[in-house]
Amino acid sequence: CSHNTTQNQVGATRRLRPSTRRLRRTVMASADPFSAVRARLAEHGQAHLLSPPPPAAAAEDYLRQLRGLDLPWLRRMFESSTSAQPPAGDITPFEDITCVEELPAGGAEARSEGLRLIAEGKVAALLLAGGSGTRLGSAAPKGCYDIGMPSHKSLFQYHAERLLGARRLAAER
């Protein structure tokens, strides 16, 4: 069994037992659990993933996820998707957008027409939301996160209830 040596403050040399070496390596490695991940992310242009750092309660899980990323593959996929040809045709913003507030009588006619279309099942709603709430300290999607409203509703719940309300209004017409 080989032993490492170390010098104390007065210069005397002493041997370290293997268990002491393991402990010292563990203490040194745990001094900054982000350093190895930070260096790897920086190497692939992704250092921003640790800014701001995750909450302490979620840090270990977040680091585990970052360590599991195949950064070279992600880079190749990004470069492949951004180098693709633009879609055919001219993509321009709509020009005939009207704000409800600008309509006569505050948009009562447009509102009535909208409720009629909802009642007939001719309207759909699509809520696009992406990403997990890891940096928010949550394992759920961001839309499930309590955003601090007095009701403590998530964004998903808030919008789902608004859609249900519109459906109820349409059915009452």
Side-chain angles (χ1 to χ4, degrees), residues 69-125:
L69 292 176
D70 184 348
L71 294 170
W73 180 83
L74 290 171
R75 168 61 93 192
R76 287 191 309 276
M77 291 300 103
F78 174 75
E79 289 171 355
S80 171
S81 69
T82 57
S83 67
Q85 294 296 319
D90 185 27
I91 299 176
T92 58
F94 292 110
E95 294 178 8
D96 59 346
I97 296 175
T98 304
C99 293
V100 174
E101 294 82 20
E102 296 172 0
L103 295 172
E109 187 179 322
R111 184 174 190 271
S112 179
E113 176 67 5
L115 290 174
R116 183 186 66 74
L117 292 171
I118 291 171
E120 292 175 7
K122 294 182 178 178
V123 175

Side-chain angles (χ1 to χ4, degrees), residues 6-81:
T6 187
Q7 288 187 339
N8 63 20
Q9 290 178 348
V10 293
T13 301
R14 64 184 177 107
R15 290 181 176 214
L16 297 177
R17 292 186 303 235
S19 61
T20 306
R21 287 195 316 258
R22 278 192 302 275
L23 177 62
R24 182 170 282 181
R25 275 195 303 264
T26 301
V27 169
M28 289 172 65
S30 66
D32 181 11
F34 296 97
S35 62
V37 173
R38 185 178 293 114
R40 183 170 170 259
L41 290 171
E43 179 182 331
H44 295 281
Q46 298 297 312
H48 63 278
L49 293 175
L50 286 174
S51 181
E60 187 53 42
D61 187 47
Y62 187 58
L63 287 174
R64 181 183 51 73
Q65 291 177 31
L66 291 175
R67 286 184 199 110
L69 292 176
D70 184 348
L71 294 170
W73 180 83
L74 290 171
R75 168 61 93 192
R76 287 191 309 276
M77 291 300 103
F78 174 75
E79 289 171 355
S80 171
S81 69

